[in-house]
């Protein structure tokens, strides 16, 4: 087993050129229109349709794409062995899996940090601070939107949306319309904010890891991303009254637990190490993230030990040594101290498995030659600007992860500014309808108003409620694209 593992490591270290050469090939073009090829495409389309209907089917979104990836690669393996070579499918799969593996570990560490900060009470503290001021409904609407926009570059858009939506629900009382409008703004702001940071969204992370855009260069997307949120938010704000909102949770103070500030500093240090390691030494960003995970585990080990000692000393009277040891062992069994491994267990594993299914399914279609064909007919015929605009609109219907991964696998001949544009459109395009992003899908289940008299809950944020504002969100999308083209000296396509 050890020899096989060592051989695999040496293979990837010293055979990178061979892998790239093999992967650049694909199956004969005849398979594109064959029954096998069409079966692969239909399998992936059905899987994406099941993902979009996740709420109706009541299944986890990872299930259909995992099955899709397996079916597609079994067909690719059969056709590759039949018409190319025995090693074709193996090398192509290994190359795609290596890309996924790096992103998987990166996201796992980021989610672990977020879960740890949640356990330390950071998000409850943010809620308390926002609710502790006597603000009007209109000012709370703007505060939540701005908070979502500036938090999502560091946190994922899903966590950001849930934190901000919980504040809206806390102050709303029975005002379902206010919650609905806040959720629309929060979804748009979360997606827009994630577009100008390599850590804000999986799509930006993929573009950064592919080397098309450097970490600091994402900041040039700040203005167009902000405009894409501000335009619809301004339109929605006109429909919100300026009455003073109730205090909500302000009577329940939510202080930060010990170590929260230091964990935030460790998270920032981890991001800096990842960026610097890639910038100056050419190391994959996952190296810095795994180092950061080690630092987090080391600090949390000390933190849990100190918390346990403090709680024991505070809660136990004086006993003789033998009795003290016996009670201490009993207490340790009954009262487990903080453990960072619990944060790792709470990682969104379904999202990571969904990511695997999407990446491997798209890579399988690429091995069949579909991505090269799509690249010729989209970026080759329409031009990079129009193709990138359509990518954003398409991501409103289909999750932006498969859309962006498909673009990366196509590897069209684009300028640096074109790569920035498609990063922007893929990030903000999913805001046009509620099912276009993870934030929107999550809030449709989360944002509910409970009637204090009957105890019945009703959904405040729905597909139809979001669709009502789609025209102004689309206007914001177009304004964001125009601002990007103007600030980067690119010609307008219309």
């Amino acid at each position: 087993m050890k020899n096989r593992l060592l051989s695999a490591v040496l293979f990837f270290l010293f055979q990178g050129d061979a892998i790239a050469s093999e992967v650049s090939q694909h199956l004969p073009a005849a398979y594109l229109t064959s029954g096998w090829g069409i079966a692969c495409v239909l399998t992936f389309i059905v899987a994406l349709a099941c993902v979009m209907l996740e709420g109706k089917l009541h299944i986890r979104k990872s299930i259909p794409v995992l099955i899709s990836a397996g079916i597609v690669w079994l067909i690719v393996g059969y056709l590759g062995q039949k018409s190319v070579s025995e090693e074709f499918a193996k090398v192509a799969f290994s190359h795609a899996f290596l890309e996924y593996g790096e992103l998987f570990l990166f996201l796992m560490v980021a989610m672990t940090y977020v879960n740890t900060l949640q356990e330390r009470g950071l998000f409850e503290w943010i809620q308390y601070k926002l609710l502790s001021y006597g603000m009007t409904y209109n000012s709370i609407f703007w505060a939540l939107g701005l908070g979502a926009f500036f938090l999502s570059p560091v946190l994922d858009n899903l966590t950001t949306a849930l934190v901000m939506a919980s504040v809206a629900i806390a102050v709303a009382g029975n005002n379902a319309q206010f919650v609905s409008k806040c959720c629309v703004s929060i979804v748009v702001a979360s997606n827009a904010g994630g577009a100008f940071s390599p850590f804000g969204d999986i799509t930006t992370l993929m573009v950064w890891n592919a080397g098309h855009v450097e970490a600091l260069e994402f900041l040039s997307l700040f203005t167009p991303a902000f405009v894409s949120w501000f335009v619809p938010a301004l339109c929605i704000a006109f429909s919100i009254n300026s009455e003073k909102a109730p205090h909500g949770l302000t009577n329940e103070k939510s202080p930060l637990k010990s170590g929260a500030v230091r964990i935030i500093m460790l998270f920032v240090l981890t991001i800096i190490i990842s960026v610097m390691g890639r910038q100056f030494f050419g190391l994959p960003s996952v190296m810095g993230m795994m180092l950061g995970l080690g630092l987090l585990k080391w600090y949390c080990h000390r933190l849990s030990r100190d918390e346990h000692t403090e709680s024991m000393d505070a809660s136990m009277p004086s006993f003789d040594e033998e009795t003290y040891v016996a009670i201490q062992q009993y207490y340790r069994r009954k009262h487990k101290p903080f453990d960072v491994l619990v944060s790792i267990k709470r990682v969104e594993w379904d999202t990571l498995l969904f990511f695997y299914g999407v990446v491997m399914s798209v890579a399988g279609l690429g091995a069949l030659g579909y991505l090269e064909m799509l690249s010729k007919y989209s970026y080759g015929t329409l031009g990079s600007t129009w193709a990138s605009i359509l990518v954003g609109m398409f991501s409103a219907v289909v999750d932006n992860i498969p859309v962006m991964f498909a673009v990366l696998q196509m590897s069209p001949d684009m300028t640096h500014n074109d790569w920035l544009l498609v990063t922007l459109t893929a990030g903000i395009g999913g805001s046009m309808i509620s099912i276009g992003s993870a934030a929107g899908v999550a809030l449709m289940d989360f944002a509910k108003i409970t009637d204090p008299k009957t105890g019945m809950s009703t959904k405040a944020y729905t597909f139809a409620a979001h669709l009502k504002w789609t025209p102004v969100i689309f206007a914001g999308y177009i304004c964001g694209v125009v601002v990007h083209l103007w600030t980067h000296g690119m010609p307008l396509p219309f």
Side-chain angles (χ1 to χ4, degrees):
M1 182 66 184
K2 292 181 178 179
N3 292 335
R4 290 183 180 179
L5 180 60
L6 179 61
S7 299
V9 172
L10 292 174
F11 176 78
F12 282 117
L13 285 175
F14 299 109
Q15 300 297 323
D17 294 338
I19 291 176
S21 175
E22 190 76 23
V23 171
S24 64
Q25 302 175 7
H26 51 75
L27 295 172
Y31 286 125
L32 292 174
T33 56
S34 69
W36 290 112
I38 294 173
C40 288
V41 173
L42 291 177
T43 298
F44 188 49
I45 291 175
V46 170
L48 290 179
C50 292
V51 171
M52 293 171 60
L53 297 173
E54 177 186 6
K56 299 289 185 182
L57 299 176
H58 303 291
I59 61 172
R60 295 187 180 276
K61 62 183 178 181
S62 63
I63 295 175
V65 290
L66 286 172
I67 296 173
S68 167
I71 293 174
V72 168
W73 277 102
L74 283 173
I75 294 175
V76 170
Y78 168 73
L79 298 178
Q81 192 174 50
K82 180 180 178 182
S83 58
V84 182
S85 68
E86 293 184 358
E87 296 295 316
F88 173 81
K90 176 183 176 182
V91 173
F93 183 91
S94 299
H95 176 76
F97 187 78
L98 183 62
E99 289 185 12
Y100 165 77
E102 291 184 3
L103 291 170
F104 166 82
L105 292 174
F106 189 105
L107 293 170
M108 184 197 72
V109 176
M111 290 178 179
T112 300
Y113 264 102
V114 171
N115 291 340
T116 303
L117 290 172
Q118 184 177 26
E119 192 279 336
R120 293 287 92 184
L122 175 63
F123 304 137
E124 289 80 2
W125 178 81
I126 292 174
Q127 291 179 17
Y128 170 76
K129 287 298 182 182
L130 286 173
L131 293 171
S132 61
Y133 303 102
M135 303 170 69
T136 64
Y137 281 113
N138 198 280
S139 59
I140 289 176
F141 170 82
W142 283 109
L144 294 178
L146 287 170
F149 184 80
F150 287 104
L151 270 180
S152 59
V154 181
L155 307 178
D156 62 286
N157 60 355
L158 176 58
T159 301
T160 300
L162 291 175
V163 170
M164 294 302 163
S166 65
V167 177
I169 295 170
V171 301
N174 292 327
N175 195 339
Q177 288 188 353
F178 174 72
V179 174
S180 175
K181 294 170 184 177
C182 281
C183 286
V184 173
S185 175
I186 288 168
V187 169
V188 178
S190 299
N191 292 332
F196 68 90
S197 166
F199 309 98
D201 193 80
I202 295 178
T203 55
T204 56
L205 179 60
M206 289 192 293
V207 173
W208 181 47
N209 277 336
H212 295 297
V213 180
E214 296 300 329
L216 295 179
E217 292 172 340
F218 283 97
L219 292 175
S220 67
L221 296 177
F222 174 86
T223 303
F226 184 83
V227 168
S228 71
W229 162 72
F230 182 78
V231 169
L234 184 62
C235 296
I236 298 172
F238 283 117
S239 66
I240 298 176
N241 62 52
S242 57
E243 295 178 4
K244 191 174 180 179
H247 288 285
L249 301 176
T250 53
N251 294 327
E252 300 179 10
K253 188 174 182 179
S254 300
L256 289 173
K257 294 182 181 179
S258 61
V261 175
R262 293 185 180 181
I263 292 173
I264 293 173
M265 294 171 64
L266 280 177
F267 194 17
V268 173
L269 177 62
T270 298
I271 293 173
I272 292 174
I273 293 173
S274 299
V275 173
M276 295 303 178
R278 182 179 180 85
Q279 188 74 25
F280 295 108
F281 306 113
L283 293 168
S285 54
V286 67
M287 182 282 303
M289 297 300 288
M290 295 304 290
L291 173 58
L293 179 61
L295 295 174
L296 177 65
K297 292 189 67 176
W298 169 73
Y299 176 70
C300 289
H301 168 73
R302 294 184 55 193
L303 183 63
S304 62
R305 183 188 61 189
D306 294 343
E307 282 189 352
H308 180 73
T309 302
E310 290 174 4
S311 62
M312 286 292 298
D313 293 341
S315 61
M316 291 182 58
S318 299
F319 290 104
D320 59 83
E321 184 176 354
E322 183 178 352
T323 305
Y324 183 88
V325 171
I327 295 178
Q328 191 178 45
Q329 291 175 348
Y330 173 82
Y331 185 91
R332 187 176 291 112
R333 290 195 300 269
K334 293 292 183 180
H335 304 275
K336 294 182 180 179
F338 169 68
D339 187 357
V340 71
L341 291 178
V342 175
S343 296
I344 296 178
K345 291 177 183 177
R346 290 176 52 243
V347 163
E348 297 170 26
W349 293 105
D350 188 61
T351 298
L352 295 177
L353 292 174
F354 166 75
F355 191 33
Y356 165 86
V358 166
V359 167
M360 300 312 294
S361 294
V362 173
L365 295 177
L368 284 162
Y370 283 105
L371 297 183
E372 182 178 340
M373 179 187 70
L374 187 60
S375 178
K376 289 179 180 178
Y377 283 100
S378 57
Y379 283 89
T381 303
L382 297 174
S384 58
T385 300
W386 270 115
S388 296
I389 292 173
L390 292 177
V391 162
M393 297 175 67
F394 193 54
S395 67
V397 181
V398 181
D399 193 277
N400 60 358
I401 294 174
V403 174
M404 178 54 77
F405 189 75
V407 173
L408 291 171
Q409 291 295 299
M410 293 176 199
S411 191
D413 185 17
M414 296 198 299
T415 65
H416 179 263
N417 288 336
D418 288 328
W419 279 110
L420 285 171
L421 176 61
V422 74
T423 302
L424 173 71
T425 57
I428 66 177
S431 301
M432 281 185 258
I433 58 177
S434 61
I435 62 172
S437 66
V441 172
L443 291 194
M444 283 194 294
D445 290 328
F446 179 79
K448 298 177 181 178
I449 294 294
T450 302
D451 190 332
K453 296 181 180 179
T454 64
M456 299 292 291
S457 296
T458 57
K459 290 185 177 181
Y461 173 69
T462 62
F463 179 87
H466 191 105
L467 196 64
K468 175 184 176 182
W469 298 102
T470 293
V472 296
I473 297 172
F474 178 72
Y477 174 79
I478 296 299
C479 288
V481 170
V482 170
V483 169
H484 173 82
L485 296 176
W486 177 64
T487 55
H488 290 80
M490 301 170 67
L492 296 176
F494 17 78

